[in-house]
């Protein structure tokens, strides 16, 4: 059992020493490869329970393991049963070649709001904007009238494991759908008192109406697509979606579908190298109907009811690329105050759906 102070960066600093700044992860070893548990207590007495679970422990047919730092191939699962808050599940998906262990501050904050939280390890080794173009990338297919569903097809294959794109090879077992379903069943079986069963349908698939989806960069795109084709409780996008195959336009899949625009929220950095595509996509999701984009450091919750927030706060590692892109939530790059609190914490809580204060 591990006890650390509220908002210390001990885990992230250890991670940086082990794997460097590109893909910071929490330490692990063979003995902990199936499941690790710890309790984190802060000065307020709140207790967070962490389960670190290898995807292969939930389904032997899951065979994708990242080529870089495969020892950090784990889901990060958080519960704070001392908090009465949002009774929903939050599924967070990191960006390309990132792992859930690199986003623990955000995951913990969501748990403190009452969410059951899953930092989902999924097959994210191919960069969507690198294959389908982006704000600074060359367009793979020069003719703008062809391959118009490039990013949608890549994201759909990653989500469902269908054969939709030549750029990725994701089997049904390795899909987000299967990984999440099998993880929820595993959690329900191994931790029945934590209430995971309420996020599963009778057929064993995720109960999307009880799930909020969130992600950074590529993960933000996956969250947006899930919200489009399934009705979820909330969609929260950090630094994304960055898709921008053709300049001054948005990809064809970028629109509101089954989840209404009122459930979409986003945060980006104004100096993100992919900011052109991000701004265009968030506008296409009809999020400006709730007001103009609001700069976090010039406002405070509830940010005039805006659904899109942005920041120009200095990333921990400076303004050089790709630091602003990662700084919206990643442990080693998100700005931290002198007291150890993430400077974007209030913005995170607002976007995730912090309950209104109780009447005195």
């Amino acid at each position: 059992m591990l006890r650390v102070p509220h908002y210390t960066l001990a885990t992230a600093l250890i991670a940086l020493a082990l794997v460097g700044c590109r893909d910071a992860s929490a330490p692990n070893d063979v003995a902990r490869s199936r499941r690790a548990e710890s309790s984190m207590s802060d000065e307020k007495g709140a207790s967070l329970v962490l389960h670190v679970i290898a995807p292969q422990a939930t389904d032997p047919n899951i065979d994708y393991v990242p080529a870089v730092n495969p020892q950090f191939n784990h889901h990060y699962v958080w519960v704070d049963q001392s908090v009465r808050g949002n009774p929903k599940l939050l599924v967070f998906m990191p960006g390309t070649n990132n792992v859930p262990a690199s986003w623990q501050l955000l995951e913990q904050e969501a748990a403190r709001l009452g969410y059951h939280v899953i930092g989902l390890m999924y097959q994210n080794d191919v960069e969507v904007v690198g294959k389908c173009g982006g704000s600074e990338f060359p367009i793979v297919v020069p003719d703008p009238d062809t391959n118009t569903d490039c990013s949608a097809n890549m994201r759909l294959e990653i989500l469902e494991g269908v054969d939709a794109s030549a750029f990725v090879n994701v089997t049904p077992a390795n899909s987000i759908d299967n990984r999440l379903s099998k993880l929820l069943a595993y959690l329900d079986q191994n931790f029945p008192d934590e209430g995971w069963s309420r996020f599963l349908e009778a057929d064993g698939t995720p109960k999307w109406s009880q799930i909020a989806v969130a992600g950074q960069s590529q993960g933000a795109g996956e969250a947006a697509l899930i919200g489009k084709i399934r009705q979820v409780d909330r969609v929260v996008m950090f630094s994304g979606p960055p898709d921008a195959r053709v300049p001054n336009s948005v990809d064809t899949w970028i629109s509101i579908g089954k989840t209404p625009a009122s459930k979409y929220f986003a945060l980006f950095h104004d100096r993100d190298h992919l900011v052109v595509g991000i701004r265009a996509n968030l506008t296409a999701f009809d999020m400006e109907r709730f007001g103009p984009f609001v700069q976090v450091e010039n406002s405070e919750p509830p940010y005039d009811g805006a659904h899109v927030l942005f920041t120009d706060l200095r990333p921990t590692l400076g303004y050089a690329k790709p630091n602003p892109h990662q700084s919206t939530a990643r442990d080693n790059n998100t700005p931290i105050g002198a007291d150890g609190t993430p400077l974007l914490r209030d913005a995170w809580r607002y976007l995730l759906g912090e309950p209104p204060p109780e009447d005195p």
Side-chain angles (χ1 to χ4, degrees), residues 272-299:
D272 193 322
H273 63 288
L274 298 171
V275 72
V276 174
I278 293 170
R279 278 185 171 272
N281 291 331
L282 297 180
T283 297
F285 280 124
D286 199 21
M287 297 170 73
E288 285 186 291
R289 101 164 57 156
F290 308 101
F293 299 176
V294 170
Q295 187 166 356
V296 173
E297 47 269 40
N298 295 337
S299 187

Side-chain angles (χ1 to χ4, degrees), residues 113 234 265 301-307 309 345-354:
L113 288 176
R234 201 176 192 89
F265 294 82
Y303 304 108
D304 297 323
H307 280 223
L309 307 180
R345 183 194 64 175
D346 289 348
W348 295 349
R349 294 177 68 92
Y350 170 76
L351 296 169
L352 293 170
E354 181 174 17

